[in-house]
Amino acid sequence: MTKYLGTLVLILFCFSLNGQISDKSFVVKETNDKITPDGILDEPSWETADKAKEFWQYFPLDTVQSKKQTDIKMMYDNNNLYVGITVYTAGNDYSIQSLKRDFRAGNSDNITLLFDTFNDGNNAFLFGINPYGVRREGLVSGGGLNLNGFTISWDVKWRGDSKIYDGYYTAEMVIPLTAFKFKEGETKWRFNSYRFDTQSNENSTWTNIPQNQNIYGLTFMGDMIFEKPLGKYRTPLAIIPYVNLGSQKDFELNEAKTKVNVGGDAKIAIGNSMNLDVTVNPDFSQVEVDDQITNLTRFEVSLPEKRQFFIDNSDLFGSFGGGRDANPFFSRRIGIAKDTADNSIENKIIGGVRLSGKLNKGLRLGFLNLQTAEDLDEQIASNNNTMLALQQNVFGRSNIGMFFINRQTFEDYEFQDPDDRYNRVAGIDYNLISDNNVWNGKFYLHKSFAHNAGKANLSSGAFMQYNSRNWNFFEDAVYIGEDFRSDLGFIRRTDIFKSATMIQRVFWPEDSALQSHSFQFFPVMTWSPENDFLHTDYDLMGAWESKFNDQSEINVSYTHSYTYLFDEFDPTDIDDAIPLPNEVGYHYNYVSLEYQSDSRKRFAYSISPTMGSFFNGDRFSLGAEMYLRFQPKVFLSLAMNYDKISLPEPYSSTDIWLISPKIDVTFSKSIFWSTLIQYSNQRDNLGFNSRLQWRFAPLSDLFIVYNDNYFVNSFEPKYRSINLKLTYWLNI
């Protein structure tokens, strides 16, 4: 296996040397005008500003210029980047989800700007606006290869608004240069913009992007050339204190308490390219609750990070290893622990620091250190959590990364096993992104260190993907030793050697209702090295996927699976149920269908039935989502998942329901109310989460958050809390 991985990494180096095309540019001129971001382009300097123009269609075609064009003008001074946008449309019947900031772009009218300030094709800042002047900002990492490198959870201060006219709308943005990170003396940034136009049913980009590439990918970009080199800028010190008054009651333990928490964050810029984040007694009570899911597997499920402190430059810490099987750092581990009943509960973070950014044009640094509190009643130790990461660009857009992780308890606790006093992981990754993005890949080797750990303590893998217009292929190989541990990581299972192969043929029919369709073959094989490479699992999937010109989709797949159980397993998760016996292999097959309607419509839906065998029984599943928009202020959604598990006697059968209605009301651009209800009989929980947010100043909020949880069968209360939280963003 080592020989195989070594050969593959040599191939990855070779594929890093492909050429890249960038043939569009415009000049960003200096200005002395005072630009008021009211959405009206009436300042005199807009008349002489150069512009990015001649947008290309991305959907439904990628070979013609867009039917409705967009013009983007930019200027700058010592403090700000000014953006003036004119967006031509077929009418004024715009689709938007709500007036809430950080909206989802794909199903509504909006325009987004991408700024690659270090000209490396790996990371970019994102700013967007819609016809109603609602704004969003985000970060793109890893070249924008997939959604793992895309987040709109990042926040920064900037101003902007839009103005609707007959047949077009205009927008103005004033973005402080301190919102970006860049090299002092830089004369150009790589730039692109993408736009969603629901009335003309087209998506368009400034730089022409083939449809087999992501619309937010950083491969195909033009240049924005500054009239004079950018100087050194002093980013203001940001202090973000909070006060939280909370009341909660645990009905199972019959305990109630009221508390007042005070703490906050500080953001300190180090030069033009580094950030130092400091947090003291952080509180995340205002963060949206996780979406519950039905889990029919034997393994833990990964959920996304939503806490703002961990977002900026998160790829520096979280992109090592394999995201599905072997991620050595998963930030959600910090601040969560297991109680004496093996339930996940909050583990208070006392404080910490986070340093991240560019040391020079090619070298990035990430350092994180957080201290969590002890909880003697729940036998939870106080831990120090540290990670150091370095990432050096090589061969254009590729990079080599190294990291060291340390989770350590400094005190001796009687309840703690000596093997759990510390856990350390070190490793190296090579990430390939070819300049034309046809090839991308990864090679990694990680080693863990723990007290009395065995010798099978390595995690390694290799991944390579080929992505062209008509063919898509990848091979992914993963090895995780039985003794490999990463307490701050996400490791679904150990003692595996896994191979995943995907082959896809894509067709682009002309003069058809079909925009594209593809046939895919996707086998996944898993062996157990410690059991003489016993073949423990495989999934053989064949699929047909189709996208229509009206933006609806139909997908059909057939899967043949095999699972060998080392341990007893009850897929129904019923108390006192007889589990399926271990040391037995199970063959089963199922067919899945998925239909997604046109998401531009005021009412949209998706439905996905699955039917077939399951272990030694049968399974029928039905997933559905529905969305209804009362523009621009009310957005209703309903997610439903039903699973009927039928196993032969004496094993259990059950019906599993997960129903999640959600109401989002935006009274204005600064007052938002959302309520999420989640019913899960698998978790025996009916939960209510209601959040009222008033953004009374830029990035400064007053939250009222109400949580209520009940047992499903008896409707008796479990846990209830209400929090009043005030945060204020102060620049010094």
Side-chain angles (χ1 to χ4, degrees):
M1 185 186 68
T2 304
K3 181 179 179 181
Y4 164 73
L5 296 178
T7 303
L8 193 54
V9 75
L10 289 176
I11 297 173
L12 296 181
F13 274 103
C14 295
F15 283 124
S16 300
L17 305 177
N18 294 318
Q20 182 177 356
I21 299 172
S22 177
D23 57 359
K24 299 186 75 173
S25 65
F26 66 99
V27 176
V28 184
K29 296 181 179 180
E30 272 196 309
T31 183
N32 294 319
D33 275 5
K34 181 180 179 181
I35 306 297
T36 302
D38 53 10
I40 304 171
L41 306 180
D42 55 356
E43 289 83 0
S45 54
W46 287 127
E47 296 294 329
T48 58
D50 197 6
K51 61 185 177 182
K53 57 183 180 179
E54 297 178 351
F55 271 56
W56 286 82
Q57 265 194 18
Y58 174 82
F59 177 93
L61 302 173
D62 59 6
T63 55
V64 298
Q65 291 196 335
S66 59
K67 292 179 289 187
K68 294 298 179 180
Q69 281 293 324
T70 305
D71 294 335
I72 301 175
K73 297 181 178 181
M74 293 192 200
M75 302 180 294
Y76 74 111
D77 59 20
N78 290 332
N79 300 307
N80 301 302
L81 177 69
Y82 303 101
V83 184
I85 308 171
T86 303
V87 180
Y88 297 96
T89 62
N92 295 338
D93 185 21
Y94 299 109
S95 293
I96 68 167
Q97 182 169 312
S98 71
L99 297 174
K100 190 175 181 180
R101 189 167 176 155
D102 291 338
F103 53 85
R104 178 185 172 188
N107 57 359
S108 60
D109 286 276
N110 59 85
I111 186 165
T112 297
L113 313 179
L114 293 168
F115 300 92
D116 177 5
T117 58
F118 284 97
N119 304 300
D120 59 11
N122 286 322
N123 296 82
F125 297 91
L126 175 154
F127 294 88
I129 198 164
N130 72 12
Y132 287 76
V134 182
R135 292 169 286 156
R136 69 176 191 150
E137 63 278 305
L139 300 172
V140 178
S141 62
L145 294 179
N146 51 57
L147 282 173
N148 293 332
F150 185 99
T151 179
I152 53 173
S153 297
W154 174 68
D155 282 333
V156 70
K157 278 189 176 182
W158 64 287
R159 295 177 293 158
D161 208 345
S162 300
K163 178 72 174 178
I164 296 176
Y165 299 92
D166 187 19
Y168 69 100
Y169 68 90
T170 59
E172 279 183 307
M173 300 178 175
V174 177
I175 308 173
L177 288 170
T178 54
F180 303 97
K181 296 300 175 186
F182 55 89
K183 179 183 177 183
E184 181 183 352
E186 193 64 81
T187 57
K188 74 177 181 69
W189 295 347
R190 297 175 73 243
F191 170 78
N192 200 14
S193 174
Y194 61 89
R195 171 192 166 191
F196 293 95
D197 180 356
T198 65
Q199 297 174 83
S200 297
N201 189 29
E202 71 172 2
N203 305 334
S204 58
T205 59
W206 177 54
T207 300
N208 190 13
I209 299 179
Q211 287 183 347
N212 62 293
Q213 305 286 338
N214 288 328
I215 197 170
Y216 54 84
L218 307 183
T219 301
F220 300 90
M221 304 184 80
D223 293 327
M224 47 183 288
I225 302 170
F226 294 96
E227 197 170 41
K228 294 181 181 179
L230 295 172
K232 184 175 182 178
Y233 294 93
R234 177 189 176 272
T235 302
L237 169 65
I239 305 293
I240 314 168
Y242 80 85
V243 177
N244 181 16
L245 173 63
S247 177
Q248 60 189 39
K249 182 173 182 179
D250 189 322
F251 290 89
E252 293 184 90
L253 301 178
N254 195 26
E255 293 180 352
K257 58 183 177 181
T258 300
K259 60 181 180 180
V260 178
N261 281 339
V262 178
D265 296 343
K267 294 181 176 293
I268 306 165
I270 302 176
N272 283 26
S273 307
M274 295 286 293
N275 279 334
L276 175 63
D277 294 290
V278 181
T279 187
V280 177
N281 193 30
D283 175 270
F284 305 111
S285 60
Q286 86 286 0
V287 175
E288 292 184 357
V289 296
D290 291 319
D291 294 331
Q292 293 187 16
I293 63 172
T294 299
N295 185 8
L296 299 178
T297 74
R298 297 159 287 161
F299 311 112
E300 183 184 13
V301 177
S302 173
L303 296 171
E305 178 63 84
K306 298 181 180 180
R307 297 172 294 180
Q308 180 65 215
F309 179 79
F310 295 97
I311 298 299
D312 194 13
N313 286 315
S314 60
D315 66 297
L316 252 175
F317 302 91
S319 64
F320 288 94
R324 177 174 173 80
D325 297 290
N327 186 349
F329 182 79
F330 182 52
S331 59
R332 287 177 60 100
R333 296 291 186 211
I334 303 175
I336 298 177
K338 295 287 188 180
D339 62 13
T340 53
D342 203 37
N343 297 311
S344 295
I345 62 172
E346 179 186 1
N347 182 206
K348 189 69 178 176
I349 298 175
I350 299 172
V353 296
R354 190 171 180 272
L355 177 67
S356 62
K358 286 251 187 181
L359 292 174
N360 55 46
K361 186 175 182 179
L363 180 62
R364 300 174 73 202
L365 166 70
F367 174 77
L368 178 146
N369 183 275
L370 286 165
Q371 184 72 33
T372 58
E374 65 180 19
D375 185 340
L376 299 181
D377 292 337
E378 297 294 344
Q379 297 186 3
I380 297 172
S382 174
N383 284 289
N384 183 263
N385 308 275
T386 302
M387 182 174 184
L388 172 67
L390 291 169
Q391 188 183 87
Q392 175 66 53
N393 283 359
V394 294
F395 305 112
R397 300 175 64 198
S398 302
N399 62 71
I400 295 177
M402 295 177 288
F403 72 89
F404 175 74
I405 298 170
N406 184 53
R407 194 280 307 158
Q408 184 157 353
T409 301
F410 292 117
E411 297 187 33
D412 292 330
Y413 296 96
E414 293 183 358
F415 56 79
Q416 189 177 51
D417 191 295
D419 294 349
D420 295 328
R421 294 288 167 85
Y422 72 89
N423 171 242
R424 300 178 184 122
V425 186
I428 183 169
D429 286 38
Y430 170 69
N431 296 288
L432 161 75
I433 309 177
S434 68
D435 284 344
N436 60 10
N437 213 39
V438 172
W439 293 93
N440 71 84
K442 174 187 279 281
F443 168 83
Y444 60 90
L445 179 63
H446 305 160
K447 180 179 175 65
S448 68
F449 306 86
H451 183 66
N452 287 333
K455 295 181 179 180
N457 55 13
L458 295 179
S459 170
S460 63
F463 171 84
M464 181 185 290
Q465 181 176 27
Y466 172 80
N467 180 17
S468 69
R469 185 174 183 83
N470 298 113
W471 288 96
N472 190 5
F473 163 84
F474 74 70
E475 174 64 32
D476 187 19
V478 178
Y479 165 76
I480 305 176
E482 184 179 33
D483 303 311
F484 181 82
R485 269 182 58 187
S486 184
D487 292 354
L488 298 185
F490 184 82
I491 312 297
R492 296 177 72 243
R493 59 193 293 196
T494 58
D495 184 29
I496 64 168
F497 178 75
K498 178 179 176 181
S499 171
T501 306
M502 195 279 291
I503 303 172
Q504 183 183 42
R505 176 65 165 94
V506 186
F507 299 89
W508 307 87
E510 297 182 2
D511 301 321
S512 169
L514 273 173
Q515 190 262 347
S516 66
H517 69 105
S518 65
F519 293 93
Q520 182 184 117
F521 179 57
F522 189 11
V524 181
M525 308 283 186
T526 305
W527 295 266
S528 169
E530 294 297 319
N531 290 277
D532 297 324
F533 277 87
L534 175 69
H535 202 172
T536 63
D537 304 81
Y538 64 74
D539 296 286
L540 307 177
M541 187 190 77
W544 177 70
E545 299 180 350
S546 62
K547 298 181 180 180
F548 292 82
N549 286 325
D550 66 356
Q551 299 200 28
S552 61
E553 299 181 13
I554 296 178
N555 303 316
V556 182
S557 66
Y558 170 80
T559 304
H560 172 64
S561 294
Y562 170 77
T563 303
Y564 181 87
L565 293 180
F566 286 100
D567 301 306
E568 295 179 336
F569 173 58
D570 173 31
T572 66
D573 200 27
I574 297 175
D575 291 339
D576 301 322
I578 298 176
L580 298 175
N582 61 336
E583 298 184 0
V584 176
Y586 298 85
H587 294 267
Y588 46 102
N589 313 280
Y590 53 92
V591 178
S592 298
L593 171 69
E594 180 179 3
Y595 174 74
Q596 169 69 59
S597 73
D598 183 354
S599 60
R600 299 171 299 158
K601 304 297 184 181
R602 305 295 172 91
F603 173 73
Y605 65 95
S606 67
I607 186 168
S608 53
T610 298
M611 182 171 59
S613 52
F614 186 66
F615 287 90
N616 60 347
D618 297 303
R619 168 191 170 193
F620 172 75
S621 298
L622 180 65
E625 291 183 273
M626 290 172 280
Y627 309 93
L628 181 60
R629 293 187 282 194
F630 297 94
Q631 296 188 160
K633 295 188 175 182
V634 179
F635 181 76
L636 307 178
S637 64
L638 173 65
M640 185 273 289
N641 196 83
Y642 168 70
D643 292 279
K644 182 178 182 63
I645 307 298
S646 301
L647 303 181
E649 296 290 346
Y651 309 110
S652 297
S653 298
T654 189
D655 297 298
I656 302 174
W657 288 92
L658 175 60
I659 304 174
S660 303
K662 186 176 183 181
I663 304 171
D664 279 295
V665 181
T666 52
F667 299 100
S668 68
K669 294 180 187 178
S670 58
I671 301 178
F672 323 114
W673 173 60
S674 65
T675 296
L676 173 64
I677 303 171
Q678 299 191 90
Y679 168 90
S680 172
N681 63 348
Q682 185 185 45
R683 291 174 173 79
D684 192 18
N685 190 74
L686 174 63
F688 299 85
N689 174 261
S690 190
R691 186 177 72 158
L692 181 66
Q693 177 184 0
W694 174 33
R695 177 147 285 185
F696 59 87
L699 299 184
S700 303
D701 301 283
L702 176 67
F703 294 96
I704 301 176
V705 183
Y706 175 74
N707 284 291
D708 209 352
N709 292 273
Y710 295 84
F711 292 101
V712 167
N713 295 325
S714 61
F715 200 67
E716 294 180 353
K718 277 186 181 180
Y719 177 84
R720 183 176 298 151
S721 70
I722 186 168
N723 286 273
L724 176 66
K725 182 176 180 180
L726 177 70
T727 66
Y728 186 74
W729 187 302
L730 176 65
N731 284 342
I732 299 177

